[in-house]
Amino acid sequence: MRPVIQTGSAARRPYLPAVLVGYKPLREGGTKQPAVSSVTFNKLFRIMAHRRFSLLALGLLVLAFGSTQQNAAHAQAPCPADHDKLLSALKANVKASGGPANGGFETNEWAAIVARDGTVCAVAFSGPTADAQWPGSRLIAAEKANTANGLSLVNMALSTANLYAGVQPGGPLFGLQTTNPVNQAAAYTGDPKTFGSANDPLIGEPIGGVVVFGGGLALYDGKAIVGGLGISGDSSCADHNVAWRVRAALGFDKVPAGVNPNRKDAIIYDLDPGGKSASGWGHPLCAGHEADIAAEIGSGVGGSTPK
């Protein structure tokens, strides 16, 4: 249907940009009015409709591209070590996969690394299949890495083992576990067949969570803190020993300082029978020989194997 083009003072012409309408000078009053025929208008209307659609499509494309770029930048935060390096270091330091004893149950373990921005960037397991170690330890390892990274600074490291005493009722860190909830949208998604692989669904995601027992260590390259490492799948004391060895194998054990002057962020076995820590940073002994291994490799301070 053709639009009606009125003339005279009552005329109401549709708005058309000047770049699309040829202007014709009129003698009356020396002004310019757009000269539009019904045929020209139909043609221009189609052009404008097409251009509006094109601009909308372009806008959506720009938004989609921007979103993709933001997600890519988020997922590509610098990672201290890739999946293969983490897997190699883990297998070499877990007894069940051929490594040395760590004093606990000597089971297979999960390992996770977060970059300094808190995004998970590597996940691995030491056993032959994903269920050869505790399935729940995948998330625990990632949360341990998040905790150690999130509560350590360039000049001060805190291991997850250092947090135990402080979070007990009456302690100065009581309630700490509730401060950074787990990112459930990231934690419980993805194909389980990819868990522990280079394509683990946690990769590129901020996992959150706070863990307050052994197995999480901050990573230092000698210049700065570059992320966090979490190990889970054995006793918390054994997890700490494994993490200590894995961190050294990756070359990120250049810790500047910690709550213990000599061994920095080592686990501290100084809880008395009433559960009080002399240092304020203590961790309970576990049931195996973890404290003996810790003394041997330098990952622990104090304590002795329960008799």
Side-chain angles (χ1 to χ4, degrees):
M1 176 174 137
R2 292 186 177 181
V4 177
I5 304 298
Q6 296 179 322
T7 59
S9 60
R12 293 178 179 271
R13 294 188 177 93
Y15 170 77
L16 294 173
V19 293
L20 298 180
V21 180
Y23 276 83
K24 179 180 179 180
L26 299 179
R27 295 185 183 278
E28 295 82 7
T31 61
K32 294 182 179 180
Q33 294 291 337
V36 184
S37 69
S38 61
V39 175
T40 304
F41 174 77
N42 281 339
K43 182 177 180 181
L44 292 173
F45 181 81
R46 288 194 298 271
I47 292 173
M48 286 193 66
H50 175 72
R51 291 196 176 188
R52 279 199 298 269
F53 176 78
S54 298
L55 288 173
L56 176 61
L58 179 61
L60 291 173
L61 181 62
V62 169
L63 288 174
F65 179 76
S67 177
T68 300
Q69 290 296 96
Q70 287 181 338
N71 290 337
H74 188 64
Q76 293 173 3
C79 191
D82 61 21
H83 171 267
D84 291 346
K85 289 182 179 179
L86 177 61
L87 178 61
S88 177
L90 180 64
K91 282 181 171 290
N93 288 287
V94 172
K95 186 175 182 179
S97 59
N102 287 293
F105 302 119
E106 307 298 1
T107 49
N108 278 302
E109 302 251 32
W110 285 89
I113 290 177
V114 300
R116 184 55 175 157
D117 65 0
T119 56
V120 180
C121 59
V123 181
F125 55 81
S126 64
T129 60
D131 65 345
Q133 42 281 306
W134 298 339
S137 282
R138 170 175 166 267
L139 291 180
I140 296 172
E143 292 168 43
K144 285 181 180 181
N146 176 72
T147 304
N149 175 68
L151 296 179
S152 295
L153 299 171
V154 66
N155 59 351
M156 174 68 175
L158 281 174
S159 66
T160 55
N162 297 150
L163 303 174
Y164 179 88
V167 303
Q168 302 308 308
L173 299 177
F174 179 66
L176 178 66
Q177 300 97 311
T178 66
T179 58
N180 289 270
V182 174
N183 177 2
Q184 296 192 15
Y188 304 108
T189 190
D191 184 355
K193 293 179 181 178
T194 65
F195 289 0
S197 73
N199 299 314
D200 189 295
L202 292 178
I203 303 300
E205 299 290 343
I207 186 59
V210 176
V211 177
V212 293
F213 46 81
L217 299 172
L219 301 176
Y220 292 86
D221 65 359
K223 298 178 181 178
I225 176 173
V226 294
L229 167 69
I231 300 291
S232 182
D234 204 315
S235 71
S236 58
C237 304
D239 290 345
H240 175 84
N241 290 339
V242 175
W244 194 270
R245 282 173 159 154
V246 170
R247 180 172 67 174
L250 293 173
F252 294 114
D253 58 346
K254 301 170 179 63
V255 182
V259 295
N260 182 274
N262 299 322
R263 299 187 182 178
K264 315 296 173 59
D265 55 351
I267 194 169
I268 301 173
Y269 293 117
D270 69 351
L271 270 66
D272 65 22
K276 298 296 182 181
S277 167
S279 67
W281 304 100
H283 189 285
L285 287 163
C286 297
H289 297 274
E290 298 94 332
D292 295 337
I293 299 296
E296 177 186 324
I297 67 176
S299 68
V301 178
S304 61
T305 301
K307 304 299 183 185

